[in-house]
Amino acid sequence: MREPAVEVRQLRKSYGAIRAVDGVSFTVQRGEVFGILGPNGAGKTTTIECIEGLRQPDGGEVLVLGVPKGALSAAIRQRLGIQLQMSGLYPRLTVREVLSLFSSFYERALPVERLLSMVGLEEVQRIQTSKLSGGQRQRLSLALALLNEPEVAFLDEPTTGLDPQARRALWEIVKGLKQEGRTVVITTHYMEEAQELCDRVAIMDHGRIIELDSPQELIRRHFAQTPVELSLPGGPGLSELAGLPAVSSASEENGRYTLYSQDVARTIAALFELAASQGVALEALAIRQPTLEDVFLKLTGRRIRE
Ligand code: ATP
């Protein structure tokens, strides 16, 4: 069997008193899209940068394609793709020039035309990178990460700052990489993105992994219940709603309630009865499928994007 794409064991990294990464372990198999998911400051970037060799960890072990990080040779680097934050990178070169320059670093690279069309930057190919919008810069950094057709691509929050259309386009690119059998390690704080793209996700909070599995399995494990959302102006409060039949937990945010129910029909029937008995109207009742966002909320009591 081939070695895993990435192995991380007991990774640790502090900045002064801040334990940014506090004993993180996981394995990414070949061909997997692996997500590192968590709110701002959870330690995602530090983790991925320690794997890429861009930061020096305080402790732990990292192997990429079976090779210890310290020994990552030029030959191994040819097989990796790393999306760097683009701010200030060769500001005077045009998009096309930057792509050509980076292509020259690799033994094998996709043609510049193909890269431009892949990330939708044909129209700005002769513009200096300093004049690009945030989203365009983001797409250029993606093209740079993928130009050598890497076996393992590391993408750090690749869709932050992209409009919905560009985000969907990026999702298609990642799905294409998976179809080609490549491995993708992606960090994100967009739950729907992780759910759409990732075979497995590690949910990070305060430098630790608090859950790791496929999105479907995480949802199934934590939610035998279905979220029922509603508003009930002037009606009963959270504690009364939490006591309704089949409700196992409940939360409130800006006057909107979420009841986690094991039997939606029973809960809703009781809810209508309660509202009628108190002479108040139920508003915007919605039953939805639980998401990774619900998993995070349940695990931490917070939303991933506050
Ligand atoms: P974001 O989504 O905001 O990028 P993240 O999950 O990637 O967050 P990190 O950037 O890894 O998190 O940061 C983890 C913690 O380490 C945060 O508390 C952050 O403020 C701190 N941190 C990160 N880099 C440094 C640094 N160079 N010096 C000091 N503290 C840092």
Side-chain angles (χ1 to χ4, degrees):
M1 217 177 90
R2 288 198 302 176
E3 68 284 340
V6 177
E7 283 180 87
V8 177
R9 297 186 201 125
Q10 288 303 316
L11 187 69
R12 285 186 293 107
K13 174 77 181 173
S14 295
Y15 304 103
I18 299 171
R19 289 188 184 179
V21 178
D22 193 10
V24 160
S25 303
F26 59 86
T27 300
V28 181
Q29 300 301 339
R30 297 286 191 109
E32 197 172 28
V33 178
F34 187 89
I36 304 175
L37 188 62
N40 289 335
K44 307 180 296 294
T45 298
T46 304
T47 300
I48 202 167
E49 290 190 350
C50 285
I51 301 170
E52 292 163 346
L54 300 178
R55 286 199 206 203
Q56 185 59 37
D58 299 331
E61 247 186 306
V62 174
L63 291 111
V64 179
L65 296 169
V67 179
K69 187 194 68 76
L72 279 183
S73 61
I76 288 280
R77 287 187 186 281
Q78 292 277 333
R79 297 159 64 191
L80 308 180
I82 295 175
Q83 188 179 21
L84 296 167
Q85 298 308 318
M86 279 293 288
S87 47
L89 193 62
Y90 299 105
R92 285 183 211 284
L93 294 188
T94 65
V95 168
R96 182 174 256 287
E97 286 165 346
V98 169
L99 288 170
S100 300
L101 176 68
F102 275 71
S103 295
S104 71
F105 300 157
Y106 292 95
E107 288 156 15
R108 209 173 42 128
L110 288 169
V112 170
E113 299 303 333
R114 168 97 189 275
L115 290 163
L116 287 167
S117 76
M118 183 167 84
V119 297
L121 287 179
E122 297 104 319
E123 281 174 20
V124 295
Q125 59 178 289
R126 303 205 187 274
I127 292 190
Q128 291 183 341
T129 63
S130 59
K131 306 220 166 66
L132 295 178
S133 71
Q136 288 167 337
R137 207 164 286 182
Q138 188 86 330
R139 283 186 270 158
L140 176 57
S141 72
L142 179 71
L144 293 175
L146 301 181
L147 59 75
N148 57 328
E149 299 197 281
E151 282 172 52
V152 188
F154 297 96
L155 311 179
D156 191 7
E157 303 209 359
T159 62
T160 299
L162 295 188
D163 59 46
Q165 200 185 345
R167 174 169 300 156
R168 297 233 160 239
L170 179 124
W171 290 0
E172 291 312 311
I173 291 174
V174 172
K175 287 177 189 174
L177 294 172
K178 182 177 165 58
Q179 268 169 11
E180 290 168 7
R182 301 178 202 286
T183 309
V184 181
V185 181
I186 180 171
T187 73
T188 182
H189 53 246
Y190 296 113
M191 293 288 184
E192 69 280 18
E193 181 161 294
Q195 211 164 322
E196 172 88 15
L197 295 179
C198 297
D199 297 307
R200 288 188 307 146
V201 293
I203 300 183
M204 277 190 88
D205 196 28
H206 302 305
R208 291 170 181 261
I209 291 179
I210 53 174
E211 267 292 14
L212 195 165
D213 218 319
S214 68
Q216 300 74 12
E217 179 55 30
L218 288 177
I219 291 164
R220 198 195 59 72
R221 189 183 306 157
H222 289 281
F223 290 96
Q225 307 96 334
T226 305
V228 176
E229 294 184 347
L230 63 132
S231 301
L232 205 54
L238 184 64
S239 58
E240 211 167 337
L241 294 171
L244 286 173
V247 173
S248 51
S249 65
S251 64
E252 192 238 321
E253 198 174 78
N254 302 326
R256 190 150 174 82
Y257 298 100
T258 303
L259 314 181
Y260 294 100
S261 169
Q262 288 153 335
D263 183 341
V264 174
R266 269 180 73 208
T267 298
I268 289 186
L271 195 54
F272 276 109
E273 225 168 88
L274 181 66
S277 72
Q278 299 201 3
V280 290
L282 273 172
E283 283 181 12
L285 180 66
I287 300 161
R288 58 183 177 82
Q289 288 306 309
T291 63
L292 277 180
E293 184 80 49
D294 294 300
V295 174
F296 187 81
L297 186 62
K298 186 172 171 204
L299 287 170
T300 66
R302 288 175 286 124
R303 288 200 174 274
I304 203 155
R305 279 176 288 162
E306 312 261 45

